[in-house]
Amino acid sequence: MGHPRSAARSRDSVLPRRPRPLRTLLSALLTAALVIPLAGAARPGIPAPAPVLLTTPLTPSTLNAAYAANRENAAEAARMAAAHGDPHRAAADRALASPSRRLLAFDGRGEGRATEVFGDLTRARHIAVLVPGSDTSLDTYGRFHRAAAALHGELTRHHARVAVVAWLGYTTPATVSTTVTTAARADEAAPGLRALVRLLRTLSPAGAHLSVLCHSYGSVVCGRAAPGLDADDIALVGSPGTTADSVAALRTRARVWAARGAGDWVADVPHVRAGLFGTTVGFGTDPVSPAFGARVFDAAGADHSGYFTPGSASLANLARITLDTPSEVTRG
């Protein structure tokens, strides 16, 4: 779920395209990724401190101290970004350093990474982990934050003991790039997602229900992480595919859900995998197709960035999945 650094990188500005032959479409995408100048490509590096090195293990009793340490780190990153002449990044870091924010992890270097908690993990009976897609970074974190906050708000309308974890734990690909067409970034991210879920199991009450909600390229990350991912539910929204041909091929014990809104241009992305220019591009079977075998739920008219819009069918259903009430999920 991303916010672009330039019009060329905006998924929301891309108009749905009519299906074309696979090789022509993928070749055009790769060519564009190589020749279109991106605003972020020439941007000088933004200085930031190294991430906090915690001296004690993360446990329920040390969680607040970890939050505070990461807020301090974000505040220092904001000061360094401001001194470097980047007010936009400074503002993003400063927002994360606010006393109300719960940062499980923070790294202000480069594109940046952050893991933010909404709610009380130590009491939560239902936890959702949000995995973002392309063009998500500290510079565009506000949109990701709003999605997580919207889900947390929807959950708290129905249950008091809930938490949402916004996991910007990997360097997401740019929408217009060669990396967005392959699973390379997802393979790099998968171990970190598995480790996060294992950590959340130790921080939350025994038996807590844990769902991983994966948007766009984030669903590729979830697909690659699925074997060994200790989740109860996995939900894929706006997915270009997972690299797996079916739910069975994901090799997960979790229930697998999928949805695509009627306004989502990702429907026009070829759901195949093919060798091209010496690498494998594409992500395979469409997760909302009968062949994949996921539990398809209703996302109504959601566009590619609209799955977490307050009041939407998709947000209501993602909350029902998180709250472990599958019979209440409206099917697509």
Side-chain angles (χ1 to χ4, degrees), residues 320-332:
R320 292 165 185 148
I321 290 167
T322 301
L323 293 172
D324 193 21
T325 54
S327 64
E328 297 179 16
V329 175
T330 58
R331 306 299 283 267

Side-chain angles (χ1 to χ4, degrees), residues 202-259:
T202 69
L203 297 175
S204 58
H209 185 268
L210 197 149
S211 303
V212 182
L213 313 182
C214 323
H215 176 248
S216 193
Y217 188 88
S219 65
V220 186
V221 175
C222 292
R224 303 303 270 187
L229 186 66
D230 189 13
D232 299 297
D233 285 279
I234 297 173
L236 315 169
V237 293
S239 175
T242 64
T243 75
D245 291 329
S246 65
V247 167
L250 290 174
R251 293 183 290 129
T252 177
R253 67 171 183 83
R255 289 177 296 207
V256 179
W257 304 80

Side-chain angles (χ1 to χ4, degrees), residues 42-178:
R43 186 177 183 185
I46 303 168
V52 169
L53 182 61
L54 298 175
T55 56
T56 56
L58 266 174
T59 66
S61 63
T62 64
L63 203 48
N64 285 333
Y67 292 157
N70 284 310
R71 286 195 301 268
E72 284 185 26
N73 191 269
E76 178 60 21
R79 289 189 287 270
M80 293 175 72
H84 184 70
D86 195 320
H88 181 74
R89 173 61 72 85
D93 291 340
R94 197 175 300 115
L96 282 163
S98 169
S100 63
R101 308 293 278 268
R102 297 181 173 95
L103 299 182
L104 198 57
F106 176 83
D107 185 351
R109 300 171 300 178
E111 297 294 296
R113 300 184 182 189
T115 303
E116 184 174 10
V117 177
F118 299 72
D120 185 352
L121 279 177
T122 65
R123 297 183 63 253
R125 300 299 309 175
H126 301 276
I127 301 167
V129 177
L130 271 58
V131 182
S134 59
D135 288 327
T136 309
S137 68
L138 288 185
D139 292 314
T140 64
Y141 186 80
R143 179 179 293 186
F144 189 37
H145 174 87
R146 288 191 293 274
L151 177 62
H152 186 249
E154 180 69 16
L155 291 171
T156 55
R157 291 178 57 236
H158 304 282
H159 201 288
R161 297 175 63 181
V162 295
V164 173
V165 180
W167 183 71
L168 177 55
Y170 74 111
T171 302
T172 69
T175 298
V176 181
S177 68
T178 53

Side-chain angles (χ1 to χ4, degrees), residues 237-327:
V237 293
S239 175
T242 64
T243 75
D245 291 329
S246 65
V247 167
L250 290 174
R251 293 183 290 129
T252 177
R253 67 171 183 83
R255 289 177 296 207
V256 179
W257 304 80
R260 184 170 63 232
D264 192 342
W265 56 260
V266 84
D268 292 318
V269 173
H271 291 282
V272 294
R273 298 194 81 201
L276 191 66
F277 302 148
T279 190
T280 301
V281 296
F283 304 115
T285 307
D286 186 347
V288 300
S289 69
F292 190 73
R295 301 173 183 224
V296 178
F297 63 93
D298 181 28
D303 63 19
H304 195 63
S305 296
Y307 293 97
F308 294 88
T309 300
S312 67
S314 57
L315 183 65
N317 279 326
L318 288 167
R320 292 165 185 148
I321 290 167
T322 301
L323 293 172
D324 193 21
T325 54
S327 64

